[in-house]
């Protein structure tokens, strides 16, 4: 069988070469036709305005699925996943075009890297050529990579809960933000959750923004018993988890208008608050339907118009009880952090206040 000739996709003022354009990235489902590599690249162009609003001048990691999305395919999340078909690209790939710009960032470990920094639509189209489906921008701009300009509220349904539960909690979140004089912008996660973004003044550290997310999550817990900020899964129950740690350094969320590696090519789609209240199946927002939505404009078109102070949310962190919560396991031990011991496995006399094992020799 002859190899399919490469195609070109017009991206702004550039023509981006797409090799193997007929490669099937998403197989057909009972809701959607199959999606080829060329179709992915063309989709990226079709959502240029909203996608670049989400990515422009931000360090951006790529979630690459070069062989496409298939049942059983895995995404590598650590060194042991060497047989995974997909992976995160946190450094500029070799062979990048000369128009691709980068920005230096520092990981929690202290290591540094040059990460892709999209400045024009040709960059994410080239990333699609490299198998990228989901873009993971940092909540910072290249001019100041240590002070976020974006608070991200990730409402994550736990087993036994649904997208409808996330939508209910999102409405409570909207009420809290409005009472504090803050405007939030909602989107579907592209899966079962809901994300709410808030533009903030870039005056606070990652740790401050994380504390603001914890304070906000605790206020949601206070108002809705179906919400939790419990870090350990065994303590979350059938509730919506406010994933406050998504506001940490090097923790990112699928951008607005990113495809997700799920059958049917769903998209993490910005919506208005009124629209969100009516969404019953987030799969309705996919590669085939979202381009028509944006013809009439992006619901997040005004997100950059005003940056809000984080102080009202930091007051919630200071005033509501609970103290510090756990960081992700790959983070260095942080000041005031509780022991990193799963509650069901913790034996009080075997652990000190810093989470160090002090019990009998375990051989």
């Amino acid at each position: 069988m002859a190899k399919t000739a490469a195609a070109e996709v017009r991206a702004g003022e550039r023509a981006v070469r797409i090799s193997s354009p007929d490669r099937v990235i998403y197989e057909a489902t009972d809701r959607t036709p199959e999606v080829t590599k060329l179709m992915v690249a063309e989709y990226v162009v079709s959502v240029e305005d909203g996608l670049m609003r989400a990515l422009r001048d931000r360090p951006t990691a790529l979630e690459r699925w070069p062989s496409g999305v298939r049942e059983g395919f895995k995404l590598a999340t650590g060194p042991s996943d060497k047989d995974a078909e997909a992976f995160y690209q946190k450094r500029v790939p070799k062979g990048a075009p000369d128009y691709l710009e980068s920005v230096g960032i520092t990981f929690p470990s202290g290591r540094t890297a040059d990460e892709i920094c999209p400045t024009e639509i040709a960059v994410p189209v080239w990333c699609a050529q490299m198998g990228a489906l989901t873009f993971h921008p940092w909540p910072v701009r290249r001019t100041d990579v240590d002070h976020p300009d974006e608070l991200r509220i990730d409402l994550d349904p736990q087993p036994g809960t649904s997208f409808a539960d996330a939508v209910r909690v999102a409405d409570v979140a909207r009420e809290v933000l409005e009472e504090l004089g803050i405007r939030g912008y909602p989107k579907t996660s592209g899966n079962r959750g809901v994300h709410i973004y808030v533009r903030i003044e870039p005056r606070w550290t990652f740790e401050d923004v994380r504390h603001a997310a914890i304070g906000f999550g605790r206020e949601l817990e206070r108002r809705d018993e179906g919400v939790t900020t419990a870090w350990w899964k065994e303590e979350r129950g059938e509730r919506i988890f406010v994933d406050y740690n998504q506001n940490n350094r090097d923790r990112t969320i699928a951008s607005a208008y990113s495809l997700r590696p799920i059958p049917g090519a769903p998209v993490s789609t910005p919506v208005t608050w009124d629209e969100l209240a009516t969404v019953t199946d987030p799969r309705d927002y996919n590669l085939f339907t979202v381009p028509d939505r944006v013809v009439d404009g992006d619901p997040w078109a005004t997100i950059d118009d005003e940056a809000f102070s984080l102080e009202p949310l930091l007051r919630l962190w200071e005033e509501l009880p609970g103290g510090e919560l756990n960081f992700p396991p790959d983070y260095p031990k942080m000041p005031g952090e509780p022991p990193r011991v799963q509650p069901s496995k913790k034996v009080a006399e075997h652990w000190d206040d810093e989470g160090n094992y002090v019990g009998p020799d375990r051989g």
Side-chain angles (χ1 to χ4, degrees):
M1 183 175 179
K3 185 177 180 179
T4 304
E8 281 192 345
V9 170
R10 175 58 60 175
E13 297 180 355
R14 304 186 192 277
V16 180
R17 181 179 181 273
I18 307 297
S19 62
S20 304
D22 294 339
R23 176 182 299 158
V24 176
I25 303 301
Y26 293 93
E27 296 177 313
T29 71
D30 58 354
R31 300 166 59 93
T32 53
E34 70 179 21
V35 175
T36 65
K37 186 178 178 183
L38 178 61
M39 293 167 69
V40 170
E42 291 173 336
Y43 163 78
V44 171
V45 174
S46 73
V47 293
E48 174 182 359
D49 179 57
L51 182 62
M52 290 308 299
R53 185 173 291 110
L55 303 182
R56 184 174 283 110
D57 294 331
R58 297 188 184 277
T60 301
L62 309 178
E63 190 177 325
R64 293 176 60 185
W65 294 76
S67 298
V69 176
R70 302 289 187 275
E71 184 177 356
F73 278 14
K74 294 192 307 180
L75 174 66
T77 56
S80 62
D81 297 327
K82 294 181 180 178
D83 60 342
E85 294 80 10
F87 56 95
Y88 289 106
Q89 180 92 45
K90 293 191 175 184
R91 290 171 169 79
V92 176
K94 292 181 180 179
D98 57 8
Y99 56 79
L100 185 150
E101 298 184 28
S102 65
V103 60
I105 49 91
T106 302
F107 298 117
S109 65
R111 293 181 296 110
T112 60
D114 289 329
E115 204 156 273
I116 290 173
C117 187
T119 56
E120 57 177 288
I121 191 59
V123 173
V125 173
W126 178 81
C127 294
Q129 147 64 20
M130 299 297 288
L133 295 180
T134 308
F135 298 95
H136 290 266
W138 284 45
V140 299
R141 306 280 186 173
R142 67 193 304 176
T143 52
D144 185 352
V145 296
D146 294 317
H147 296 90
D149 71 338
E150 199 165 66
L151 169 71
R152 298 169 175 179
I153 301 164
D154 181 4
L155 304 178
D156 184 9
Q158 300 303 289
T161 63
S162 66
F163 176 75
D165 293 310
V167 170
R168 184 196 77 248
V169 173
D171 192 55
V172 180
R174 177 191 58 78
E175 292 177 358
V176 175
L177 290 173
E178 288 182 354
E179 290 172 12
L180 297 174
I182 296 171
R183 182 174 180 183
Y185 289 77
K187 68 182 179 73
T188 64
S189 71
N191 195 355
R192 299 171 62 241
V194 174
H195 300 156
I196 304 169
Y197 281 35
V198 175
R199 283 287 186 270
I200 59 174
E201 299 165 355
R203 298 196 284 122
W204 290 273
T205 65
F206 283 94
E207 291 78 14
D208 292 330
V209 178
R210 175 181 173 276
H211 284 159
I214 293 173
F216 186 79
R218 286 175 173 156
E219 179 63 15
L220 294 183
E221 285 179 305
R222 193 180 69 79
R223 299 190 186 205
D224 189 316
E225 63 182 12
V227 178
T228 181
T229 57
W231 175 246
W232 298 101
K233 290 182 179 181
E234 65 186 37
E235 294 186 326
R236 293 177 189 170
E238 295 184 359
R239 292 179 286 184
I240 299 298
F241 172 49
V242 181
D243 193 351
Y244 57 88
N245 272 331
Q246 293 289 25
N247 292 280
N248 273 320
R249 180 184 295 272
D250 194 35
R251 281 299 185 277
T252 55
I253 296 178
S255 79
Y257 297 105
S258 271
L259 290 160
R260 304 306 304 273
I262 301 171
V267 172
S268 184
T269 306
V271 292
T272 66
W273 285 109
D274 287 343
E275 281 181 314
L276 181 62
T278 66
V279 178
T280 57
D281 191 339
R283 295 177 299 173
D284 290 341
Y285 297 129
N286 56 59
L287 176 144
F288 297 96
T289 62
V290 169
D292 289 337
R293 278 179 53 82
V294 300
V295 169
D296 295 326
D298 176 16
W300 284 20
T302 59
I303 193 171
D304 289 317
D305 287 359
E306 184 176 4
F308 295 92
S309 171
L310 205 60
E311 289 174 358
L313 297 175
L314 288 173
R315 281 197 292 272
L316 293 177
W317 154 255
E318 293 166 356
E319 295 169 1
L320 295 177
E324 185 59 277
L325 296 177
N326 285 110
F327 284 76
D330 58 324
Y331 260 61
K333 184 71 174 177
M334 302 297 284
E337 182 182 0
R340 292 186 186 178
V341 184
Q342 191 172 330
S344 62
K345 295 181 179 179
K346 182 178 179 182
V347 180
E349 65 269 27
H350 289 171
W351 301 90
D352 65 19
D353 291 339
E354 297 300 319
N356 300 308
Y357 185 77
V358 294
D361 186 357
R362 294 180 288 188

